[in-house]
Amino acid sequence: MKKISRRRFLITSALVGGGVLIGYSATRPSRHRLANTDLAQRGEHYVTSLLKIEADNTVTVYVPHSEMGQGVHTSLSMMAADELDADWELVKIEQAPAIDLFANGDIIKGFAREFGVPSFLEGLVSVSAIKVAELMNMQITGGSSSVRFTGEFGMRTAGAAARQMLIECAATRWGVTAEECTTQLSHVHHNASGRSLAYGELAADAALLEPPEDPVLKDPAQFTIMGKSISRVDIPAKVDGSANYGLDAKPAGMLYAAIRFAPVFGTKLVSVDAGDVLSRRGVKRIIELEDSVAVVADSYWRAREALKLLSSVFETSAKDTTSSADIYAGFERSLADENGSKVIEQGDTEAAMESAADVIEANYRVPYLAHAAMEPMNCTVHIHDDKVDVWTSTQDALGIKARVAKIAGVAEDDASFHHSYLGGGFGRRLPFNWNVIDHATLIAKEFEVPVKTVLSREDDMQQDYYRPAVASNFKAAFDGEGNVLAWHNRFTGPVQTPGASHIPYAIANQSIRVVDGDTHVPIAAWRSVDHSQQTFFTESFVDEIAHRAGKNPYQLRRELLQQHPRHRKVLEVAAEAAGYGQNLPEGHALGIAVQESFGSIVAEIAEVSIGSNNEPVVHKVTCAIDCGWAINPDTVEAQVESGIIFGLTAAMYGEITIENGRVAQNNFPDYEMVRMATSPEIDVHIVESGEALGGLGEPATPPIAAALTNAIYILTGQRVRELPIKNHDFSRINPIAQV
Amino acid sequence: MATFKVNGFEKNLDIEPDMPLLWALRDELGMTGTKFGCGIASCGACTVHVNGRAVRSCTTPVSAVEGQDITTIEGLAAMAAGTNASVPNLTAVQQAWIDHQVPQCGYCQSGMIMATSALLASNPNPTDAEIDSNITNICRCGSYPRVRRAIRSLANA
Ligand code: FES
Ligand code: FES
């Protein structure tokens, strides 16, 4: 990979009270510079940057990403504080306001100039339609990107630059050279003379300097904060009920809206019969929108109860009879009829198939999945005096602010976004998944007081933007000795994550093509995006290849990964830790899968048995992850545990089906989740390769499904080619003799 | 009129008897530490204590708690401390949640902590099977391994 220049333009500005702000911009003339000028004329205390040092020696780090449990506020601050040589005890962490100074755009732009649109953004649906200019106005937390981009290109650079400036100021004051000075715990020291100054005492001077254009970052050996497991700053508020989520917004005078959407996606509201709903206690109004009807009342429960009594008619549509079976039949037709578009064409797969001693075929499919974040979707909007205030949990505060302002008919500068924690994101709270935002704004337009629109769990499940249902058909060709000659794969699109269907294995002839998989069901990024299904497909089929060739699935992978030492390493670490090849308890088997996604490489080994009720029991998952290196190792482990359980829920139970054009599932009993009783022991091993930082929020999700079904195959002789596993019957067991 | 105690304070609310306790707490009393997750007693996000027992407040009408003592996450530590002002402002369960870095998004954790606190009050040393059958709350972020570790650390204490 081309080396990324760390050259960045930094900007300082003075704070009243003798502080200094350090920001950075990847381009010149920068928005930071322009805005600093503007804002300096307007207000003295306006915070304009990533890092603030005050006279009392406190350092404030402004984090432009949403905290949804991934520990990003802590990790990013650690990166800035370490480069600054700050005393962690003196570091305060604040959510950056949703103003465009804090857009991720600068970071993205800096990156895009050298590499094009970063691949994590390609994970968003319709990203191809976004112009780079629009990207600049997003404040996205997604694609496992925060630490990799904002951290590496923003936080560390700002910290290092500030440190250099503070040293320069101290050296000038003492009449010594900068080289003679050292820094530690928010102080500059001149060891020869025993003098030292606190950063706070130097901040006013530093504000007058031009920041260095190419600050020197630390070597990992010099880290004092990064690499340590540090307690997350967001946790204390999450154990005493004081953490605020979007749903907890309570501006004065607020009303509540409960909404009924058109059940069949894309249809419109025809009529409403309110009956005596308006006479019910607390009910204020009924709002009819193009595709929905809402009841607004003085409490959410009153609004919801009233909505139940209201009858409504939605238009009929050609989709009213569509079922999941029809959708899969459409996929089969596309796969049979279409040549599709090229993902990979290498060698001559057709010739290899014809000359092969043996060919195997297997067809896989996965259903739609809902995000089901724990906090149901909600948005509170107050439109007043040509201004708008918005409260919602989002992965893109700035984008939401712009969206709400536009719908409210208010200038973006007159929109205020109120931050909160997210009760889970997983892609549901990314740009384009705007239904609750749009509807909440349209409803609030009818009132002068704030209105909080809340989707019930049922609404949330039935009006999501889903992980797509996908079908994927494979063929593999072998020579007489069982060596794989060719890999042939056709799957239904769209491609949301380029590269997810690629395989790392050394197979000379490969033909991978994608055919049309469009349906009327809205889709979006879902934790790990296309990797969630593609890894199940490819890592299952590789396993099929191994068994057909009479080879050990672990050994076959190692052999075919000669060119991928990082993949081999995580496989070996996981295998060793899981006791692969050693004696297991009676009736247990190990299944393996490995996948690279979002810059991290993850191997997972599931230890599984078939329980007394004929259901698979996952006893333990051993995971090795190479994420380059770890900023906060405990956070890495937590994210891996989380990702595995998220993937396990999908593999075991996850299934959104379509009946009569609409989603058949309602709430958790019919969209079951892994719970304490079904949650395995998880053993995480971090492999530090020292390569570029990889993502953490998503990469542990993809491998678990195949690791589990590969173990089930050994235990039962049944190859699970359709998820979820709960739909399969394992009452007749025919274990495979292991190689 | 609904009358009950929340965290030791008497509340009199002019609300419908069938309003679920969850919404009385959140929308009428502005106590948003108790969370809405499913509304059908499936996820446990709304767990509170009624006379010390864990109850899912989303399906508990206020009429069913008339005159009862309710504890929510906001009052958990104070109720445990009682009049003893020297007790720290977190319970052992809450502290274990910090020590083991349990919460991720945190949205389910009020309910997890309330469910765990009730379990440990009646069974200070639960087996894994007892943990599994008592703590049936959903955590979409998958904090279960840490919940188990935290409970075990308390059981061994
Ligand atoms: S909200 Fe009460 S159990 Fe889910
Ligand atoms: S911590 Fe997010 S749902 Fe449990």
Side-chain angles (χ1 to χ4, degrees):
Chain A
M1 183 170 162
K2 185 176 153 193
K3 197 169 173 320
I4 301 167
S5 163
R6 296 203 186 274
R7 189 181 168 87
R8 294 290 179 265
F9 302 103
L10 288 122
I11 291 145
T12 50
S13 71
L15 269 186
V16 172
V20 60
L21 284 169
I22 310 283
Y24 89 97
S25 170
T27 51
R28 206 196 277 274
S30 74
R31 205 164 31 180
H32 283 72
R33 183 174 291 277
L34 298 174
N36 268 321
T37 318
D38 292 349
L39 294 168
Q41 288 166 356
R42 263 208 258 160
E44 308 178 302
H45 275 101
Y46 220 99
V47 172
T48 62
S49 203
L50 299 175
L51 201 57
K52 186 172 79 178
I53 301 168
E54 282 166 279
D56 68 359
N57 218 18
T58 53
V59 171
T60 307
V61 183
Y62 289 91
V63 180
H65 286 283
S66 315
E67 182 61 75
M68 43 190 183
Q70 79 283 41
V72 68
H73 284 185
T74 310
S75 302
L76 287 180
S77 303
M78 288 169 71
M79 299 174 91
D82 198 333
E83 291 291 350
L84 178 61
D85 266 341
D87 181 348
W88 183 249
E89 300 297 319
L90 300 177
V91 174
K92 286 197 299 190
I93 299 167
E94 285 187 23
Q95 172 85 50
I99 56 176
D100 57 6
L101 278 182
F102 293 102
N104 303 153
D106 277 351
I107 293 149
I108 293 163
K109 190 157 36 171
F111 191 85
R113 287 197 162 204
E114 293 175 63
F115 299 101
V117 175
S119 64
F120 77 91
L121 277 174
E122 291 170 0
L124 300 173
V125 181
S126 353
V127 77
S128 53
I130 310 174
K131 289 175 212 71
V132 171
E134 287 173 59
L135 289 178
M136 298 310 115
N137 283 323
M138 290 181 170
Q139 203 173 40
I140 294 170
T141 303
S144 301
S145 65
S146 312
V147 163
R148 289 192 288 157
F149 296 95
T150 309
E152 281 290 83
F153 302 107
M155 293 293 171
R156 289 188 66 188
T157 311
R163 177 178 164 274
Q164 231 165 291
M165 292 157 74
L166 293 160
I167 288 179
E168 203 180 318
C169 294
T172 308
R173 230 186 262 185
W174 292 327
V176 301
T177 64
E179 287 68 36
E180 293 172 66
C181 299
T182 58
T183 51
Q184 201 184 10
L185 296 172
S186 293
H187 285 77
V188 184
H189 300 282
H190 183 246
N191 293 330
S193 64
R195 285 175 289 186
S196 65
L197 283 165
Y199 285 176
E201 298 174 78
L202 296 162
D205 288 359
L208 305 173
L209 297 182
E210 274 294 304
E213 290 194 345
D214 214 351
V216 182
L217 301 191
K218 287 182 175 180
D219 276 340
Q222 298 171 294
F223 293 166
T224 55
I225 299 172
M226 288 187 274
K228 292 204 169 75
S229 285
I230 287 190
S231 293
R232 272 170 39 210
V233 295
D234 56 314
I235 284 187
K238 293 176 175 176
V239 306
D240 64 6
S242 63
N244 263 303
Y245 299 83
L247 194 65
D248 301 332
K250 35 190 171 218
M254 179 172 68
L255 296 175
Y256 301 79
I259 187 165
R260 179 185 299 156
F261 289 92
V264 178
F265 302 112
T267 59
K268 297 196 177 359
L269 179 70
V270 174
S271 64
V272 172
D273 179 358
D276 57 1
V277 160
L278 276 171
S279 65
R280 286 177 66 88
R281 179 171 172 187
V283 173
K284 304 292 180 194
R285 281 180 64 185
I286 293 164
I287 307 287
E288 294 183 27
L289 298 172
E290 202 181 355
D291 62 352
S292 54
V293 54
V295 174
V296 179
D298 62 359
S299 102
Y300 178 62
W301 179 75
R302 291 191 184 114
R304 170 118 334 251
E305 291 298 299
L307 183 64
K308 285 182 196 163
L309 301 172
L310 173 150
S311 45
S312 51
V313 178
F314 291 90
E315 70 181 0
T316 55
S317 105
K319 299 297 177 196
D320 285 359
T321 55
T322 301
S323 67
S324 283
D326 299 322
I327 288 171
Y328 285 131
F331 289 171
E332 292 311 322
R333 277 195 301 278
S334 295
L335 286 164
D337 301 346
E338 284 180 35
N339 189 28
S341 28
K342 171 182 136 180
V343 177
I344 289 204
E345 288 289 358
Q346 143 189 332
D348 190 340
T349 304
E350 215 167 297
M353 290 286 168
E354 269 161 31
S355 66
D358 185 21
V359 172
I360 59 170
E361 281 187 49
N363 298 340
Y364 286 80
R365 67 168 63 149
V366 293
Y368 293 103
L369 294 175
H371 295 85
M374 209 69 225
E375 177 194 3
M377 297 305 290
N378 63 86
C379 180
T380 305
V381 179
H382 186 199
I383 302 167
H384 57 102
D385 311 319
D386 293 327
K387 293 190 172 56
V388 61
D389 282 85
V390 53
W391 296 256
T392 191
S393 309
T394 177
Q395 294 173 249
D396 176 26
L398 208 44
I400 292 299
K401 190 176 93 159
R403 179 90 184 168
V404 169
K406 191 169 155 205
I407 296 169
V410 163
E412 218 177 299
D413 281 348
D414 294 320
S416 303
F417 182 86
H418 301 264
H419 270 287
S420 60
Y421 288 122
L422 279 70
F426 315 122
R428 176 64 177 93
R429 294 184 155 105
L430 276 171
F432 310 109
N433 308 340
W434 277 318
N435 58 358
V436 68
I437 307 292
D438 292 0
H439 288 81
T441 311
L442 291 169
I443 293 166
K445 264 181 128 166
E446 305 294 323
F447 295 86
E448 273 157 19
V449 294
V451 183
K452 180 191 286 178
T453 299
V454 180
L455 303 201
S456 65
R457 175 59 59 194
E458 291 82 359
D459 299 332
D460 192 20
M461 202 159 278
Q462 301 195 331
Q463 299 293 332
D464 198 350
Y465 301 76
Y466 302 86
R467 197 289 302 273
V470 182
S472 187
N473 295 350
F474 291 90
K475 279 190 263 184
F478 299 85
D479 68 12
E481 274 89 59
N483 298 308
V484 209
L485 301 173
W487 174 276
H488 183 276
N489 179 206
R490 297 289 180 271
F491 63 90
T492 55
V495 171
Q496 296 192 75
T497 324
S501 61
H502 297 189
I503 48 169
Y505 302 109
I507 298 176
N509 304 293
Q510 295 185 23
S511 172
I512 307 175
R513 302 181 78 86
V514 55
V515 304
D516 178 29
D518 272 358
T519 71
H520 77 298
V521 182
I523 59 162
W526 181 100
R527 195 173 193 172
S528 81
V529 207
D530 287 356
H531 292 282
S532 72
Q533 72 268 13
Q534 295 294 353
T535 306
F536 168 63
F537 300 149
T538 58
E539 281 299 284
S540 294
F541 193 59
V542 164
D543 227 65
E544 294 206 44
I545 287 173
H547 286 285
R548 179 66 163 226
K551 292 183 180 167
N552 175 288
Y554 168 67
Q555 291 303 345
L556 176 100
R557 283 180 174 83
R558 282 189 72 248
E559 282 163 28
L560 295 178
L561 287 169
Q562 294 289 356
Q563 303 306 314
H564 292 276
R566 294 176 72 193
H567 286 69
R568 277 181 66 137
K569 178 77 183 173
V570 290
L571 263 183
E572 288 164 5
V573 169
E576 162 94 35
Y580 193 88
Q582 293 165 23
N583 285 339
L584 290 170
E586 180 70 25
H588 288 213
L590 299 180
I592 303 183
V594 60
Q595 177 75 350
E596 175 174 3
S597 63
F598 307 96
S600 290
I601 304 161
V602 178
E604 287 167 16
I605 299 189
E607 182 177 338
V608 185
S609 70
I610 301 297
S612 51
N613 54 359
N614 294 323
E615 278 176 21
V617 177
V618 185
H619 299 274
K620 182 175 175 183
V621 178
T622 306
C623 172
I625 176 168
D626 174 356
C627 51
W629 50 286
I631 311 280
N632 193 349
D634 188 58
T635 297
V636 175
E637 287 183 26
Q639 283 298 295
V640 168
E641 292 162 4
S642 172
I644 288 171
I645 290 168
F646 203 88
L648 189 56
T649 283
M652 290 293 294
Y653 313 110
E655 179 177 42
I656 290 290
T657 53
I658 305 299
E659 285 169 22
N660 299 322
R662 64 204 73 189
V663 168
Q665 287 70 23
N666 259 308
N667 205 320
F668 291 126
D670 45 8
Y671 193 71
E672 189 50 278
M673 304 263 137
V674 166
R675 304 186 190 222
M676 287 295 285
T678 40
S679 178
E681 178 189 346
I682 296 177
D683 180 26
V684 182
H685 297 261
I686 300 171
V687 175
E688 295 212 333
S689 61
E691 297 289 331
L693 276 175
L696 293 172
E698 299 170 275
T701 298
I704 187 62
L708 171 51
T709 55
N710 290 341
I712 290 174
Y713 177 69
I714 294 167
L715 291 166
T716 68
Q718 263 172 262
R719 176 58 67 180
V720 174
R721 297 195 182 94
E722 286 179 27
L723 296 180
I725 293 163
K726 72 166 166 103
N727 294 348
H728 295 261
D729 174 10
F730 301 109
S731 55
R732 276 189 309 199
I733 285 182
N734 185 15
I736 297 300
Q738 288 221 51
V739 238
Chain B
M1 189 62 92
T3 305
F4 46 84
K5 274 191 180 171
V6 181
N7 301 331
F9 296 96
E10 179 140 325
K11 305 286 176 188
N12 294 293
L13 294 172
D14 172 22
I15 53 176
E16 300 87 325
D18 55 341
M19 180 183 282
L21 178 58
L22 170 67
W23 298 111
L25 290 168
R26 289 186 57 87
D27 291 355
E28 304 295 320
L29 296 170
M31 300 178 70
T32 51
T34 304
K35 301 302 185 200
F36 166 52
C38 68
I40 57 165
S42 176
C43 76
C46 64
T47 306
V48 299
H49 295 171
V50 177
N51 303 329
R53 271 189 328 109
V55 164
R56 294 187 171 174
S57 64
C58 66
T59 49
T60 305
V62 289
S63 58
V65 297
E66 185 65 29
Q68 318 276 303
D69 271 318
I70 289 145
T71 305
T72 69
I73 186 75
E74 292 97 335
L76 185 64
M79 293 301 282
T83 51
N84 183 352
S86 66
V87 171
N89 57 1
L90 291 178
T91 64
V93 174
Q94 289 170 312
Q95 188 58 50
W97 249 239
I98 295 177
D99 294 344
H100 293 271
Q101 298 279 291
V102 174
Q104 295 204 13
C105 85
Y107 193 82
C108 72
Q109 299 295 345
S110 297
M112 280 285 186
I113 289 170
M114 296 309 283
T116 300
S117 302
L119 168 64
L120 292 176
S122 65
N123 179 0
N125 227 328
T127 62
D128 268 332
E130 287 168 339
I131 295 173
D132 289 347
S133 60
N134 279 279
I135 311 297
T136 56
N137 301 32
I138 294 176
C139 174
R140 186 59 164 142
C141 299
S143 64
Y144 307 117
R146 285 162 187 253
V147 168
R148 192 181 300 282
R149 251 178 274 162
I151 295 177
R152 282 207 190 120
S153 78
L154 291 159
N156 296 334

